[in-house]
Amino acid sequence: MPGAIYAEGLVKTFGDVRALDGVDLDVPEGTVLGLLGPNGAGKTTTVRCLTTLLRPDSGTAVVAGIDVLKHPDAVRRSVGLSGQFAAVDEYLTGRENLQMVGQLYQMKAKAAKARADELLEQFNLADAADRTTKTYSGGMRRRLDLAAALVVSPPVMFMDEPTTGLDPRNRQQLWEVIKQLVSGGTTLLLTTQYLEEADHLAHDIAVVDHGRVIARGTSDQLKARTGGERVEVVVHEREHIRAAAEVLQGFGKGDTTIEDHMRKLTVPVTGGAKLLAEIIRELDSRGIEIDDIGLRRPTLDDVFLSLTGHLAEAKDEDTGETQDPKNRKRGKETAK
């Protein structure tokens, strides 16, 4: 029996661009699916099709047991959506925004006010509740938008990069809210470019590329597919990066990834701590001074890189504008 969110063969084109090319998803009730993918992979388009904002050209979609194409109004009454950008009325106060959403869902005025007060406290907005939203910072608007998506505690939630723009403390708070929702039976489809977020929250992860799901599994399962361990080296002098890459390539079982601005090199290896000692000796013999060296298991960043060919970046699929989710440029190169 299909899960709370189910899609089979979803196709959506925009002119010559095939944004979705047969997306298949099945999210069991009360679980979190993390949807990951490179720029323009089709993540946001998938969310828009499942939430009735776009009509797919072909395929099947069922949300909360309701056919998305046949009964879109019923789907809208059963889901909550927080999109990539905060959708709040800047001329209303924070409290008025939430009360308005509640009354649009046909809540009685008293109940809508009580729910608004509860959410304002939960998202640390109570002190700004009676200020107009146009005076809010970007992070405050983001939190208000997320609160609005939770006014009616929907059985199915869609969050499209929900923590972009939030500081670490507020991100952690949102993670706790998400955990509480899911523990109460809510089903969540989460797109994110913070891979540690998917690692932390998602029961299952689907990696999308070129409009198709190319990998699916738990975080541990996907990491196991990548295999092996990684040696990370931070050289002291930038001028030693190329020489260090040559050393690592001699020990590695794959390409050496270079993050030039951080003077960091990473290579997949087998051999554990013994190999680490050999690498240190070889670097020392060549006069390459290092600031740090370590051995670690694969991360979701490694999974993402191995499956799609590059690390994750945040980009709006419609505008094509790229923004770095951690406010940093990676300067990544690959030594082969």
Side-chain angles (χ1 to χ4, degrees):
M1 185 174 179
I5 303 172
Y6 176 78
E8 183 177 354
L10 284 186
V11 173
K12 182 64 182 177
T13 58
F14 300 97
D16 295 332
V17 177
R18 199 171 179 85
L20 301 183
D21 191 23
V23 167
D24 298 326
L25 295 173
D26 193 357
V27 188
E29 185 176 341
T31 66
V32 180
L33 175 68
L35 200 61
L36 305 181
N39 299 341
K43 304 181 300 298
T44 295
T45 302
T46 299
V47 169
R48 289 174 178 171
C49 287
L50 292 171
T51 55
T52 77
L53 296 177
L54 284 176
R55 186 176 180 87
D57 300 328
S58 61
T60 301
V62 178
V63 175
I66 306 165
D67 190 300
V68 173
L69 299 180
K70 293 180 180 177
H71 306 290
D73 289 343
V75 170
R76 293 182 196 118
R77 288 192 291 269
S78 302
V79 303
L81 169 64
S82 177
Q84 284 188 357
F85 305 102
V88 296
D89 189 322
E90 64 178 13
Y91 293 102
L92 297 180
T93 66
R95 190 189 311 278
E96 288 168 344
N97 265 282
L98 297 182
Q99 288 181 229
M100 177 185 69
V101 172
Q103 291 181 290
L104 286 172
Y105 274 100
Q106 300 181 346
M107 293 175 68
K108 292 183 178 179
K110 186 176 180 180
K113 183 180 183 302
R115 181 59 175 159
D117 290 342
E118 180 184 343
L119 289 167
L120 288 165
E121 287 287 347
Q122 191 172 24
F123 283 87
N124 291 321
L125 291 169
D127 290 343
D130 297 313
R131 283 168 40 194
T132 55
T133 310
K134 64 182 178 182
T135 67
Y136 282 19
S137 67
M140 292 170 69
R141 291 187 185 208
R142 190 64 178 143
R143 281 182 278 150
L144 184 63
D145 179 70
L146 291 165
L150 299 174
V151 166
V152 293
S153 302
V156 178
M157 277 288 302
F158 294 86
M159 293 186 176
D160 197 1
E161 300 185 20
T163 60
T164 298
L166 296 185
D167 60 41
R169 182 173 65 88
N170 284 311
R171 186 176 299 125
Q172 289 281 348
Q173 287 175 343
L174 179 61
W175 288 0
E176 291 305 313
V177 170
I178 289 173
K179 287 180 179 179
Q180 291 171 18
L181 282 171
V182 176
S183 66
T186 299
T187 305
L188 173 64
L189 189 150
L190 169 78
T191 79
T192 180
Q193 294 291 355
Y194 295 108
L195 299 187
E196 71 272 23
E197 187 163 87
D199 211 352
H200 190 77
L201 294 175
H203 297 92
D204 232 8
I205 294 170
V207 181
V208 181
D209 199 14
H210 299 295
R212 286 182 173 273
V213 176
I214 61 171
R216 173 81 186 255
T218 66
S219 176
D220 286 342
Q221 287 169 342
L222 291 177
K223 290 173 186 176
R225 284 183 54 170
T226 305
E229 298 167 309
R230 302 291 187 273
V231 167
E232 286 186 349
V233 176
V234 178
V235 298
H236 185 67
E237 299 289 345
R238 195 177 303 277
E239 62 197 47
H240 288 152
I241 287 176
R242 293 299 169 189
E246 291 178 8
V247 172
L248 292 181
Q249 203 63 33
F251 290 94
K253 300 299 181 181
D255 295 336
T256 301
T257 300
I258 301 172
E259 296 182 63
D260 189 78
H261 70 297
M262 297 176 68
R263 308 187 311 282
K264 184 168 79 172
L265 303 91
T266 306
V267 67
V269 298
T270 56
K274 181 181 178 181
L275 183 67
L276 195 63
E278 293 177 14
I279 292 173
I280 292 172
R281 282 195 295 269
E282 183 63 23
L283 290 168
D284 186 57
S285 71
R286 297 201 188 190
I288 301 171
E289 187 178 353
I290 61 174
D291 290 340
D292 193 18
I293 187 168
L295 189 70
R296 63 169 175 78
R297 292 184 59 216
T299 65
L300 279 182
D301 268 309
D302 298 316
V303 173
F304 202 95
L305 178 62
S306 67
L307 290 172
T308 68
H310 57 81
L311 294 169
E313 293 176 297
K315 171 179 171 182
D316 182 77
E317 293 166 8
D318 295 326
T319 66
E321 296 177 353
T322 301
Q323 57 182 352
D324 180 30
K326 297 182 181 177
N327 295 319
R328 69 184 187 190
K329 296 181 180 178
R330 292 187 178 271
K332 181 179 73 66
E333 302 173 15
T334 301
K336 296 185 178 180

